């Protein structure tokens, strides 16, 4: 009887811990963000890594020190200044609303769609949705989200094809706002992602 009571107590404690963890929006094994390889670019047959510091340098002073990133800008359909503005733009959000959406059935479908062109790096295909959700929620904790903020919080080397051989589109979440090369650019995908998160979290 005493063992059963202890087991029930432990089970109850674990259930409470899981519930509190959900409320605190702690993304489990992905809670450690700040990967040194937040973006892996796949262009044609080559794979390159753009680090967060290289992206940040571009947004702060316009410097591009990474050749793969330079090619991505050139093929994006946007000017460098337009991209700097879009990737830096912040959106005010409610953390609870963002979390509620991303853990809902609609949110799971959204994340599945947004990671459709994710290219597996080792076994990370299975982590694409979880990693993106974790990064978005971590960035939203201060009530603001942005493309660069989400990128900074990515806990894995998040690799997507840029104008590549897959479906190439990155499933840009605002197809009516893009055309031509903008529709098949990973940078467009990043630019519009926080705006779509904000809109869906307010429904």
């Amino acid at each position: 009887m005493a063992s059963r009571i202890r087991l029930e107590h432990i089970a109850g404690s674990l259930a409470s811990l899981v519930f509190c963890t959900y409320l605190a929006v702690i993304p489990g094994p992905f809670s450690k963000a700040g990967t040194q390889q937040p973006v892996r670019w796949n262009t044609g047959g080559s794979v390159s890594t753009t680090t967060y510091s290289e992206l940040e340098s571009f947004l702060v002073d316009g410097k591009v020190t990474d050749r793969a990133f330079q090619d991505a800008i050139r093929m994006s359909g946007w000017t460098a200044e337009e991209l700097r503005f879009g990737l830096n733009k912040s959106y005010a959000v409610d953390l609870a609303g963002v979390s509620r959406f991303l853990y809902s059935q609609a949110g799971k479908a959204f994340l599945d769609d947004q990671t459709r062109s994710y290219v597996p790096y080792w076994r990370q295909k299975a982590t694409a949705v979880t990693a993106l959700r974790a990064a978005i929620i971590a960035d939203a904790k201060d009530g603001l989200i942005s493309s660069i903020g989400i990128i900074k919080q990515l806990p894995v080397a998040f690799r997507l094809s840029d104008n590549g051989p897959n479906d190439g589109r990155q499933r840009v979440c605002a197809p009516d706002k893009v055309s031509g090369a903008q529709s098949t650019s990973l940078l467009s995908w990043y630019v519009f992602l926080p705006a779509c998160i904000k809109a869906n979290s307010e429904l």
Side-chain angles (χ1 to χ4, degrees):
M1 176 66 71
S3 296
R4 180 179 178 183
I5 292 174
R6 282 197 298 271
L7 287 173
E8 289 177 349
H9 177 72
I10 291 171
S13 297
L14 288 174
S16 296
L17 178 60
V18 169
F19 181 69
C20 290
T21 297
Y22 173 78
L23 290 180
V25 202
I26 300 173
F30 295 100
S31 60
K32 183 179 180 181
T35 175
Q36 295 303 303
Q37 299 180 335
V39 182
R40 290 176 63 82
W41 305 89
N42 183 52
T43 307
S46 64
V47 179
S48 302
T49 297
T50 298
T51 65
Y52 175 77
S53 61
E54 289 167 332
L55 288 167
E56 188 177 46
S57 178
F58 168 67
L59 297 183
V60 170
D61 55 29
K63 290 183 180 178
V64 179
T65 58
D66 177 62
R67 182 174 179 179
F69 187 41
Q70 187 175 47
D71 288 342
I73 293 172
R74 178 176 54 81
M75 295 189 298
S76 71
W78 303 96
T79 67
E81 285 305 308
E82 287 172 331
L83 289 173
R84 288 180 68 195
F85 175 80
L87 293 170
N88 261 323
K89 186 175 181 180
S90 293
Y91 299 83
V93 294
D94 174 65
L95 175 59
V98 169
S99 179
R100 185 167 51 248
F101 166 64
L102 293 178
Y103 278 99
S104 69
Q105 288 298 317
K108 176 61 164 56
F110 175 84
L111 292 170
D112 283 337
D113 190 56
Q114 290 300 293
T115 57
R116 177 176 173 179
S117 293
Y118 183 88
V119 178
Y121 180 62
W122 296 101
R123 296 183 179 180
Q124 290 180 359
K125 175 65 177 179
T127 72
V129 165
T130 308
L132 183 57
R133 180 195 290 122
I136 293 168
I137 290 175
D139 188 40
K141 286 183 178 180
D142 63 354
L144 295 170
I145 59 172
S146 66
S147 299
I148 191 62
I150 294 170
I151 291 171
K152 184 178 182 180
Q153 296 295 336
L154 286 172
V156 298
F158 207 73
R159 173 180 163 191
L160 291 158
S161 294
D162 188 55
N163 302 84
N166 298 312
D167 70 11
R169 294 172 293 175
Q170 306 315 321
R171 308 299 295 174
V172 174
C173 61
D176 58 321
K177 304 294 183 182
V178 293
S179 62
Q182 298 168 354
S183 303
T184 60
S185 169
L186 172 56
L187 292 175
S188 283
W189 180 82
Y190 271 122
V191 165
F192 287 100
L193 180 61
C196 291
I197 293 295
K198 175 180 172 63
N200 281 287
S201 68
E202 293 176 343
L203 294 177

